[in-house]
Amino acid sequence: MEGTPEVVGYEARLADTLRSLRDMIRRRWLTLFLVTAAVVAIGATLIMLMTPKYEAVARIQIDPSRNPLSSASNDVASLASEAIETEVTVLNSEDLARQVVKQLNLQNDPEFTRGLAPAEGAPPLTNEERISAVAGKVQRQLSVGRDRLTYVINIRFKANDADKAAKVANTYAETYINSKVGSRMGTAERQAAFFRQRLDELGREVRAADQAVAQYRAQAGIVAQGQGSTTIADQQVAPLSTQLATAESEAAEARSNLAAARAQIARGGLDAVSEVRSSPVISDLRRQRAEVLRNMGEVSARYGERHPESVKVREQLAGLDEQIKAEAQRAVSSLEAAAGAAQARATSLRGTLHGLEGQQARNTRASATAETLEREAQSKRAAYDKIAELSLQSTQASRNEISQATIVDRAVAPVRPTSPNRPLLLALTLIVALAAGGTTVIVQELLVSGIRSVGDFENQFGIPVLAALPRVKHASPADLIADRRTSLYAESLRIARAAIFGTRGVTPPKVIAITSALPDEGKTTTSAAFARVLALSGQRTLLIDCDLRRAAMRMIVPTGESAGLIALLNGSAAIEQAIVKDRVENLDVVLVTAPHFATDDLFGGDRLKTLLATLSPHYDTILLDLPPLVGLADGRTLATMADATILVVKWGSTPAAPIDSALGWLRADGANAIGALFTMVDPSAEALGGMYYSKKYGAYYQPE
C-alpha cells in the first residue's frame, strides 16, 4: 500500500538528513575522534587527579516542647515548617561556623588554609580574619537540610579525611545544641535581670503612689473605714445633726417657758409664774413670811402697831417680801438666760453643721481624687505582681539547661569516599566529549562555504559535473596515474574522459582548456593527470602550460631542459625545442620554464592560434592548462581558443560566487564550458557516489 505524499516527503527528507549526517561523519570522523579523545583524556586526567571527599552525616531532632521558655500554647506553632527551616538557617550561619573553627582549631588546618597566604607586600591576616576566611570554606563544605517532612535535620560535611568529616559534623551538632541552650539560658538570664530592674522601678513607683495616696488622704482628712473610706467631716456630721436637733428642741422649750412666764406675770404677777412657785427658796421664804405674819399679828395684838417689836416684825416681813420678789425676779431672769443660752447653743451648732456640710462637699471631690490615686497605685501594684511572677519564671528558666534539640545519630567516619563519583563523571565526560566533537564537526561544516553535492552544483550552475576526483595521499597525484593505473583516482579521470568524449559517432573536442575560478583548486595537477590518462588510453596528447605567472607544471612534470612556451611564442625557439616527452608514452608537454610577469600580451594575437593549428594534425587531443579566471585576463582569452572548457572546482572549498562569475564570463566570451571537475573530494563523500559501497568496490581499485 502506497503512503501519502506527505509521509513519503517526510521520509525522503529524513533519509536525506540521515545521509547527510552519515556523510558528514565519514568526512570528519578523524576530527570527531581526535576532539572526543582529547576531551576524554583531559576529563579523565582531571577526574583521576580530583581529591577524594568523605561525607559524614550527623542527625539532630528539633523538639520545641522541651523549651523551658515556651508555653503549651506555643508548641504547635513552633513545630511548623518555618521553624524547622529557621533552625536550618541557624546551622548554616557564619557565627556557628566560627565557633566550630575555633573548637577544632581549623584555622591552622592545611586543608582549609590553602590559598589564604596574603599577596606579596600585603599585611598578614589577623587571627579573626583567618578564622572568618576558614569559616567561609567550612560553610561551603557543609550541607544542612531537613530530612523529608520530619523534625530531623541532617548535618553533612565533606572533608579530605573521613575522621575529620565525622568530627566536624559532630562538633557542628554539639555546638548548635550548646548554643541553643546557652542562648536560651542567656535570654532567660537577661530577662531575669530585666525583670529585676523593672521590679525595682515598679517598687519605687508603688511606694511613691502609696505615699501620695496617704499624704492626700491625710491632707483631705480621709480615713479608711471598712471596705471604703470616709472623712472626719463625715464622722462629725451625724452626731452634730443630733445635737443640733436636741439644742433646737431645748431652745424652743426654753423660749416656750419664758413666754409662759411672761404671760403669767402679765396676768397675775410674779407669784403666778410656775418657776417662782416651784422654787424651794421662794417656798422657804414664803414659809418664813408666814411665820413672820403670824408673829406680827401676835406682836401687834400684844404691843401695838408702834411697838418696836411690831416695827421689827414689819421690817422682817418687808425684808422677806423683798427677798421673795428678788428671788422671783431671779427665777424669771434664769428662764430668760436659759432661753438665750439654748438659742445660742442651737445657733452655734447650726453654724458648725453648715461648715461641716461645706467641708463634706469639698471632701467628696477630694475622695474622687483619692480614688483615682488609689486606682493608679493598685495598677502599679498589679504590674509589680505580674513582673514579680515573670521574674520568678525567668530565674527558674535561667537555671534550667534543657535543650530544644537532641542528637539522634552521631556521625561516623565513612569507609568509602562519597565524591568524586568517577564512573558517573567518566560517563558524563564521554558525553561531553562526544558533544564537543560533534559541535566541532558541525562548526567545521558550517564554516565550509564550498559545494559538496553534485546535484546542488548542477542545479545551481546548469552544467554537469563530469567526474569527482578523490583526495589522495600520494605526493604527486599525476604520478599516481602512471604508478597505479587502476586506482580510484585514475578511474575517476577515465570517467571524466568518457564524459568529455562521449559515445561513438560524436565528434570529440580537439583542444580542451582546463581552468578554475580561483587559484589552488588543483587545476594544474588535474591537467597533468588527465593528460596522462588520455595518453595511457592510446591518444596522442599534447599538454601546454598556459599559466605563465605560476609555471607550476614544471614541478609536476619534470622533463629536463626545454625552450618553453614563452620562447616558442616569441619566435626565439622552434617547436621541436619547446616540446618535451613525458614519462608516459604518447604524451608531449610544452612547459613554462620560469614565471613570466612581463606586460606583453603573448596570447592576444594569433600566435597561439597559429601554434595550435600547426600542432593539431599531429595530436589527437591538445590540453591547455589555463590560469584562474577570477582576477586574471589570460584565462578568458585562451578559453575562447579551445573547443571545450572544463572548470575545476575544489570540493567543499570553492564558494559559489566566484564559480558563478567564472561561468558567466565564459558564456559571455563564447567559450564552450562543457562541465566541471570536483577535485580533492573526500573518498567517503556523496560526490563520489560508489564509495557508499566502498567495501563492495574495494576489489576493483588498486590501493594508493
Side-chain angles (χ1 to χ4, degrees), residues 664-676:
W665 292 332
L666 290 176
R667 294 188 183 102
D669 295 338
N672 181 23
I674 62 172

Side-chain angles (χ1 to χ4, degrees), residues 221-541:
I222 302 173
V223 295
Q225 185 177 8
Q227 296 296 326
S229 60
T230 184
T231 62
I232 297 175
D234 293 334
Q235 295 176 353
Q236 292 177 347
V237 165
L240 191 60
S241 298
T242 302
Q243 293 177 11
L244 177 59
T246 302
E248 288 181 345
S249 175
E250 292 176 352
E253 182 181 2
R255 288 195 301 273
S256 176
N257 292 333
L258 179 59
R262 288 177 177 172
Q264 291 172 355
I265 291 173
R267 287 193 302 268
L270 290 173
D271 292 338
V273 179
S274 58
E275 281 74 6
V276 174
R277 289 197 305 269
S278 60
S279 173
V281 177
I282 293 177
S283 297
D284 185 59
L285 290 175
R286 287 186 183 278
R287 180 183 61 79
Q288 292 178 13
R289 184 175 184 280
E291 290 177 359
V292 171
L293 284 176
R294 189 171 56 252
N295 292 330
M296 185 179 67
E298 291 177 357
V299 172
S300 297
R302 181 184 292 176
Y303 298 106
E305 290 292 331
R306 298 184 179 184
H307 190 277
E309 286 294 331
S310 296
V311 175
K312 180 178 178 182
V313 172
R314 284 194 298 273
E315 289 177 356
Q316 289 180 347
L317 182 61
L320 287 172
D321 288 338
E322 287 294 329
Q323 288 182 357
I324 290 171
K325 184 179 180 179
E327 190 63 31
Q329 288 294 335
R330 280 194 298 273
V332 174
S333 297
S334 176
L335 287 175
E336 292 177 353
Q343 184 63 37
R345 183 170 179 272
T347 301
S348 176
L349 288 174
R350 188 178 296 106
T352 303
L353 182 60
H354 287 165
L356 288 175
E357 288 176 349
Q359 182 65 34
Q360 191 177 32
R362 291 190 295 273
N363 289 344
T364 300
R365 293 190 294 272
S367 295
T369 303
E371 289 177 358
T372 301
L373 294 176
E374 180 64 29
R375 284 194 297 270
E376 292 178 358
Q378 289 178 355
S379 175
K380 293 182 183 300
R381 282 194 292 271
Y384 181 86
D385 295 339
K386 183 62 176 179
I387 294 297
E389 181 182 357
L390 293 176
S391 176
L392 179 60
Q393 293 177 359
S394 297
T395 303
Q396 293 174 348
S398 65
R399 297 168 183 165
N400 195 339
E401 297 186 1
I402 297 178
S403 174
Q404 191 184 0
T406 56
I407 299 177
V408 295
D409 192 4
R410 295 185 65 83
V412 295
V415 178
R416 298 183 184 85
T418 54
S419 64
N421 188 344
R422 288 192 171 92
L424 177 60
L425 292 178
L426 288 174
L428 293 176
T429 300
L430 179 60
I431 295 174
V432 172
L434 289 173
T439 303
T440 303
V441 169
I442 292 173
V443 170
Q444 286 182 333
E445 290 291 315
L446 293 176
L447 292 177
V448 172
S449 58
I451 300 174
R452 292 196 178 95
S453 172
V454 173
D456 291 344
F457 184 90
E458 292 177 348
N459 293 332
Q460 183 171 356
F461 301 109
I463 61 173
V465 176
L466 303 176
L469 308 182
R471 183 177 62 249
V472 295
K473 300 178 182 178
H474 201 279
S476 176
D479 291 339
L480 186 63
I481 301 299
D483 297 337
R484 295 180 176 85
R485 298 181 182 184
T486 59
S487 65
L488 175 61
Y489 186 75
E491 190 64 30
S492 298
L493 287 171
R494 283 192 284 271
I495 293 173
R497 179 177 64 84
I500 294 170
F501 291 98
T503 60
R504 183 176 300 178
V506 178
T507 303
K510 187 76 171 182
V511 180
I512 301 174
I514 299 178
T515 185
S516 64
L518 300 173
D520 298 324
E521 301 283 280
K523 164 185 62 64
T524 301
T525 299
T526 301
S527 298
F530 187 57
R532 285 178 175 175
V533 166
L534 295 178
L536 289 173
S537 67
Q539 292 179 263
R540 291 174 300 162
T541 305

Side-chain angles (χ1 to χ4, degrees), residues 513-516 523 546-547 603 624-642 645 665-666 669 671:
I514 299 178
T515 185
S516 64
K523 164 185 62 64
C546 299
D547 193 351
F603 303 125
L624 303 179
D625 179 24
L626 306 185
L629 295 176
V630 177
L632 298 172
D634 292 345
R636 297 178 60 179
T637 302
L638 293 171
T640 61
M641 300 179 187
T645 301
W665 292 332
L666 290 176
D669 295 338

Side-chain angles (χ1 to χ4, degrees), residues 1 47 155 208 418 481:
M1 182 177 179
I47 290 171
I155 303 174
T418 54
I481 301 299

Side-chain angles (χ1 to χ4, degrees), residues 55-223:
E55 183 179 72
V57 183
R59 294 179 173 85
I60 60 175
Q61 178 184 359
I62 304 299
D63 186 6
S65 63
R66 305 183 65 191
N67 180 6
L69 295 180
S70 66
S71 61
S73 61
N74 292 331
D75 288 343
V76 176
S78 298
L79 291 174
S81 297
E82 292 80 2
I84 304 298
E85 294 301 326
T86 300
E87 300 306 319
V88 170
T89 303
V90 172
L91 281 163
N92 278 312
S93 65
E94 181 182 0
D95 183 66
L96 195 63
R98 289 173 59 87
Q99 295 182 44
V100 172
V101 170
K102 291 179 181 178
Q103 289 186 35
L104 298 180
N105 197 27
L106 297 180
Q107 67 270 24
N108 297 318
D109 191 321
E111 179 181 349
F112 300 101
T113 57
R114 188 180 298 110
L116 294 183
E120 185 177 355
L125 296 176
T126 64
N127 187 52
E128 288 300 319
E129 292 175 342
R130 191 179 185 87
I131 290 175
S132 297
V134 172
K137 289 190 173 183
V138 169
Q139 284 181 288
R140 288 191 289 273
Q141 295 179 216
L142 176 71
S143 175
V144 181
R146 185 179 183 182
D147 191 357
R148 294 185 294 276
L149 296 178
T150 65
Y151 302 123
V152 175
I153 296 178
N154 296 328
I155 303 174
R156 303 175 183 272
F157 189 80
K158 286 185 178 180
N160 297 341
D161 181 77
D163 294 332
K164 184 188 300 181
K167 183 183 294 185
V168 173
N170 289 328
T171 304
Y172 249 102
E174 294 167 357
T175 305
Y176 166 75
I177 292 175
N178 293 336
S179 66
K180 296 296 287 185
V181 172
S183 64
R184 293 185 182 279
M185 290 178 60
T187 301
E189 290 176 354
R190 289 192 296 272
Q191 288 179 347
F194 168 77
F195 289 145
R196 287 193 294 269
Q197 179 182 0
R198 187 60 180 154
L199 277 176
D200 294 340
E201 295 175 357
L202 287 176
R204 290 192 294 270
E205 293 178 2
V206 168
R207 288 192 295 272
D210 289 341
Q211 291 175 0
V213 171
Q215 183 177 0
Y216 189 82
R217 287 180 180 277
Q219 291 176 353
I222 302 173
V223 295

Side-chain angles (χ1 to χ4, degrees), residues 634-654:
D634 292 345
R636 297 178 60 179
T637 302
L638 293 171
T640 61
M641 300 179 187
D643 299 325
T645 301
I646 300 173
L647 185 67
V648 173
V649 177
K650 186 176 181 180
W651 176 84
S653 176
T654 308

